[in-house]
Amino acid sequence: MKAFAYLPDGTAGWVEKERPHPSGYDAVIRPLLVAPCTSDVHNVAIGCLQPNRVLGHEGLGEIVEVGDLVRDFRVGDVVVVPPVTPDWRTVPSQLGAHQHCAGLITGQKLSNSEDGLMAEYALIRDIDANAARIPDGVTLEGAVLAADMLNTGLYGAELAEVQPGDTVVVMGIGPVGLMAVAGARLRGAGRIIAIGSRPKCVELARLYGATDIVNYKEGDVERQVHLLTDKQGADCCICAGGGPEALGQAAAMVRWGGTVGNVNYFTTYGDLPLNNVRFGFGMGNKTIRGGECPGGRARMERLLRLLQYGRVDPTPLITHRFTGLDQVEDAFRLMEKKPPALVKTMVAL
């Protein structure tokens, strides 16, 4: 089969691989929609993958073959797969840490430790536990975006423990940050302060519920939030973008007793100002939580119900659409370049 993969020379490109075949609880799908992710771009850039590893962890497809122990799915079903497809038969999974089922961030197997979805065929482990049918009223594009972008953004709001009426800061309004804005609104936030500068992202942030926009190009974001909140700080902050300094900034922007939910990926944590008193916030018993988004069938079915019953529509995130497996590379390169009008790409195979 043809697949888009991480190459031995440290770049991304096309390879020919053997088509997978399932056994036991696994199944093979024929991908119908895939969305290149900035995580794919990042993994290629830092060279953390095995050579010829197929990229892609956002997508859905039609089941073409099932293992002999699969119970709930059959050939012909169209299913969406979350990026985290863990081994549920491990002690960490039983302890509630399925994202780290065999070590840190090992639950996200697709395109990391196992071949991903940017191919003619893809193997899905334990499909009864790791995939979901798409309910009536949910578009295929919406289902793909729910699997990772909505999943991760909402998880940021959960980690931050957003409560009804809270003032919430969302750092970074790329696709995950935009879904963090939507997630904060779903959880009842009163005021949502979104930090970003790109016009399209600002437009979408307001669509999803942002009440205020802070442009980091116009001055220190901590000071701007300090003044916007009458020098009190926000109740909580969702860190969904920025560099290694972002986590420290997030901690500085929340009030005493406030909470930071981090879904950003940092290779280094920079200077975390645990004793920052520049604006009187200090650490003040603040809580910082971070983690990989949840996976599995139950989580996916819950996310899809949010779309099914009109609570949120992630499809406005798609700014560029492509058709055909050959176009996966163009979509990936666009995610590398990040032109101003880009939010998210989608490829129909």
Side-chain angles (χ1 to χ4, degrees), residues 78 108 206 244 306:
V78 175
Q108 185 175 326
R206 295 194 184 280
L306 292 175

Side-chain angles (χ1 to χ4, degrees), residues 27 46 66 100 116 132 143 169 190 194 197 208 237 280 289 297 318 322-323 331 344:
I46 66 175
V66 297
H100 316 292
V169 173
S197 64
Y208 285 119
C237 178
R289 295 187 178 90
R297 178 177 176 176
I318 305 170
F322 299 83
T323 301
K344 193 70 180 169

